[in-house]
Amino acid sequence: MLLCATMHYQRVGIGLLLWSVFFTLILAPTVDARIRHYKWEVKYEFKSPDCYKKLAITINGRTPGPTIQAQQGDTVIVELKNGLVTENVAIHWHGIRQIGTPWMDGTEGVTQCPILPGDTFIYKFVVDRPGTYLYHAHYGMQREAGLYGAIRVLVPDGVKEPFSYDYDRSIILNDWYHKSTFEQAAGLSSKSFVWVGEPQSLLIQGRGRFNCLASGLQADTCNSTNPECSPYFLTVVPGKTYRLRIGSLTSLSALNFAIEVNGSPDM
Ligand SMILES: *[C@@H]1O[C@H](CO)[C@@H](O)[C@H](O)[C@H]1NC(C)=O
């Protein structure tokens, strides 16, 4: 009798377990999780992020690339076309655990073959934890050439964060060198070692300011009146709360980030 009762109990247990698996696998994703679909084209373009014109790697014409926005449990799909003509590419999603999808981790030569010039690869992974993450190139020195961006994963519906805010902004800090990454890489790996030195600029969300006048460079190379090199502005509305998600993708620099408060003393 006891045995029967136990078996019966187990059956109920298995039944409940199956139901919960059913709910988790079949029902939950259709209720909560969404698919976030991105279509990216990676290319070289002339950019003047700090007034100095050089080749940068862009995603859909921009560096930093677009911010990926998702909610915990969502599936992110990035359809990436490599438009670099002579270079491979791979993107690493820094901080994303890739549970069940290790081949989507984007480390070229380790978890995937690189994406060949002209090819399209579809990255597909679940963002399982809320937070602020970064993505960046994982091939050669392409990250230093501008191939990076932010990932923002929000808490699921119904979950409250321990703070509240009106606006959510991502800011990536970076150091920026005027020499091409090829020239730097050749120096770093040559027999008489050539150190890259100090960066020419620090970029805030892909914007900085290099002193063209003092540099003596030609105006077609370094042009301080080029609107592309205006510093990064974040317009804020008084009385509103802003959440700033700060990330750093510097090659060498260690940075402090501070906000200078201007204006009336009571601010
Ligand atoms: C510098 O930039 C301004 C504004 O974009 C442009 O009008 C001007 O032609 C540029 N100068 C040179 C030499 O490229």
Side-chain angles (χ1 to χ4, degrees), residues 150-225:
I151 304 171
R152 192 186 294 173
V153 183
L154 306 177
V155 294
D157 287 341
V159 173
K160 269 185 83 82
E161 289 174 294
F163 40 79
S164 63
Y165 47 89
D166 303 299
Y167 298 101
D168 199 344
R169 300 279 182 267
S170 302
I171 296 175
I172 304 183
L173 311 175
N174 203 10
D175 46 10
W176 192 246
Y177 290 81
H178 287 173
K179 277 190 181 154
S180 79
T181 50
F182 301 105
E183 201 172 336
Q184 291 182 59
L188 290 170
S189 57
S190 67
K191 258 289 156 54
S192 58
F193 181 74
V194 183
W195 180 234
V196 293
E198 294 292 320
Q200 278 66 53
S201 297
L202 297 173
L203 304 184
I204 299 176
Q205 197 56 15
R207 289 172 171 279
R209 198 143 244 200
F210 184 69
N211 190 342
C212 292
L213 280 176
S215 71
L217 291 160
Q218 297 288 321
D220 57 348
T221 306
C222 198
N223 183 351
S224 303
T225 61

